[in-house]
Each structure stands twice: as C-alpha cells, then as structure tokens.
Amino acid sequence: MSEMNAETLKELIKKDKLYITPELNDKLYLHYKGFRKIENLEAYTGLRVLWLEGNGLDKIEGLDNQKEMRTLYLQENIINKIENLDALVNLDTLNISKNFIAKIENLSHMKLLKTLIISNNNLADAASIEHVVDIPGLHALDIQSNKIDDDPEKILSVLERCKELRVVYLKGNDVVKKISHYRKTIVSRCKNLRYLDDRPVFDDERRRCDAWGAAYAETGSIEKAQEAEREAIAAIRQEKKDREERAFLQFEEMVREGQRIKKEKEEAERLANGGVLPDKAIMSTDHKVFGRDGAVIDEKKVEQDLGLGSHLVQVDKSRREERVNPFSGEKIVDVKESKLVSDAREARWGPGSENRVLSSNVALEDLEKEKLPPPPNSGGDIWNEEDFSAEAKKEKELEEYYANNAGDKANWEKDEGSDAGLKAELKRLQDKTEALRMKAISENEARKKLEEVPPPPPPSGGIMSRIGENKNLGIGGSWPKKEAAKTDFEELD
C-alpha cells in the first residue's frame, strides 16, 4: 500500500501532466492507487474535482482546505460514516456509493449540494435517509441497491418532503415491493419528479399520475383512481387532436395566403409587361397554350381567373417561333427522316402523314376510331425458340414487312447508293437466321431420336447379373435410361 505523501503526489502530477505548483491544480487523480488515508492535500487549495475512488479509505478526512471543491468521488472504499466535510460548503456532487455507510448525515450545511449518490450501502430504514430533507437544494438522490425495508408510507413521506427532488433511484430495495402501484404513487407524491429509476417522467405521464393520485387520496378506491386516469388520458388525446387540427388549419391558411400573394405578383408582372401573359405558359407548334403540367390552357378561362376584364390574353410570339417542347422546355429541332422510316410511316398512316402530330391531349378512343392497320404478324414456330436472337427477329420483321409491301421492297432494292450498307446488313441477318433455324431443327430431331432409342438389355450371367439381382445394393437389372440418353446425345453432338 502506498502513502499519500508529497513525493507520491508530485509523481502522479507529472504523470498526469498537471501543474507542479499545487495550488494551481483544479483537479487531482488519486483513484485506484491503494491509499489508506487522505492526507498531505493542504497545499492543493484550488481543487474543484477530486478522484479518490477505488482505494482503501476507511474515513473521510484531510479535506479542511478544500473550500473550492465542487465534486468529490469517494465510491468503492470502506467508509462507514459521512464526516469531516464541513469545509466543503460549495460542493455540488458527492458520490459515496459502494461503501458501508448506514446513515445519511452531516450534509445539511451544503446549501449547493444537488446530487447525492449513496447506492450500494447499508441504509436500512426511513430514519437512515431522513437527513436528505435537510439538504435544501437536493435535485438527484440515488439510494438504489441498499437494504431499505421499512414502512412504505414513511419512505414516501421522506421523498415527498424533498420539494426540489427531480431524480430518484429507489430500485433494488425491498420496500419497492411493498409500495402499491409503485411508479404512479412515487410520481404523484413527488410533484417535481422528472426521472424515476432509469425512466423519464414526461408531461403526459405526470398528468395521468396526478389525476390517479388525487382520486386515490380522496376516495381510497383503486377503481375511482383508474377512472380518473382514463379521463386524463382522454383529455390528453383530445388536446393533441385539437393541436393537430389547429396546425392543419394554420397550414392551409398559409397556403392560401401564398397563393394570393403569388396571384398578385403575377398580375403586377402582367400589367408591367403591357398585358402579356406571365411566363407560365408555353406555345406549341399548333398554336395551343400549354401549362407547365402539360395541360392545355383555355385562354378565356385564364382571362377570367386572372380578372383581366376586357384585356386580351396575349401570347409571347417568340415562343411560337422557337417551337419549344411544352413538356421538357427544350427547343424543337427538325431532323430529316430516312427513306426507311418514311416508308414505314406511310405504310401505317398513309400518304401525307408527315404533318401528323400526336400529343398527350389526343384521347385513346380517337386513335381507335381511325381503324389503324394491325402490326405485321410474326407467325412461324421459330418465334417460340427462347434462344432466337434479337437480330434474327429484326431480320424477320423486315422480311414480313417487305412481303406485305412488295412494291416498296422493289423500290428499295433499286437504290444502289445510300442503301448498299442496308442490303449487306440484310444479307448477313438472313444467313445468321438460316443458321439458327437449321440448328433448331437439328436439335429437335436429335431429341426425337433420343426418345426412340431403347435401353440396352440387362447384362447376362456372371457376377454382374448376381449383383443386379441384389436389391440391397440398389442396383436394378438394367442400366439407367438417363445415362444411355446422355451418351447418345453426346455422340450426336
């Protein structure tokens, strides 16, 4: 065991990188050093925090000059009495848990003491904790895991008289089992309690417990107390619903106010531009006005909504000339279509269909009324093959298209210049399609041949026949058909 002498203290100060001058230090780490006695701290007059836990201290002493002390840690020692703390008038937190203290005493002079941690000691009854009532500013009291087993009413009376008590830890004592409706009772009796045994006391729980406690104190009936609690719960829910309704109405009012301000700004902008519609409408190529949502704007309706009176709704002519896409806002650029696309379009829509415009405003029923020709039929079993490539499908579509439009195909074949690459591509696709077709036919014929191959006869005589007859070995009289089929298939490949 080491002694708390000047040399030891200097070594610890150097190790913790503190001040060599004792009075300049506001903290001192002396925990878990095996000290048996508190001594030689007279020069450390500026200490505010002192760690002394985990030693072998059996008495509180040697702290007469620590007038600036705010926090003192004395847990995990063998102290059996609270004493010699008269000089610590500014102490805020005292931790003396895990000792052998049987009574709380000698702390009434600490007017600033807020937190007292005295768990895991030998407190046994209401008299051993009654001194906390004399600590005027006590906010947090931790007396859990003691040996308190007294009349529940006496314990509740002590806690109730601590008017400033905010946090209480009482679990781990036998008296908890004797307090009926433990949490509700403690919360209702301690009016300022905000935390009880690792659980916060929220405002809703406070109201419920207060209603329950008031009814129980008045009538002494649990049923009446529970009924009062249910009424408090209903009132809390109704208040929450009313708050949400008010918030919703306020939000709606805010939205309406914003819309009104926006309309006023748009009207002012329109008048400032000489009656031109604000930039919320886009012109299409057919001289219709589209909103930003893609819907067609009725100019007369816009005039009525904006309250323009006799003013005519004008449209920005630059929008007409730019030909802007009404949905993306991008400028429309004309691109010359190829002859292949022209032929396909005219075959489907007829001659003169280059000016045809489809938009989101055209109804599906209108398109159905036009009696459009159906798309070309694919036909053929080859389309049922899963491994048929996209290029083969493309070539098949071209073949079927030109089969239905022989004249167009003849005209296309006459073009020896720009479409030479297309003809070469078509030839390549035809060859590849034919190869795929032959491969599919060969595979179908191979499968049929495999199904027709009979299994080989069972082996005759010898040891193999005797093994085949042995049912315990799981070997039948013939070779498995699956293996034979696999062998034939490999030979065919």
Side-chain angles (χ1 to χ4, degrees), residues 30-42:
L30 303 179
H31 53 296
Y32 299 105
K33 297 297 186 295
F35 295 131
R36 298 293 298 272
K37 184 178 180 181
I38 304 174
E39 56 185 345
N40 298 316
L41 295 178
E42 292 79 7

Side-chain angles (χ1 to χ4, degrees), residues 17 24 68 70 83 94 182 215 246 249 251 253 291 389-390 392 399 421 434 481 485 488 493:
K17 297 181 180 181
L24 296 180
E68 301 296 327
R70 299 293 189 276
E83 58 183 345
L94 177 60
Y182 168 71
R246 287 195 301 270
L249 295 176
F251 179 76
E253 180 63 26
S389 65
E399 287 291 329
E434 184 63 24
K481 182 177 180 180
D488 294 341
D493 288 345

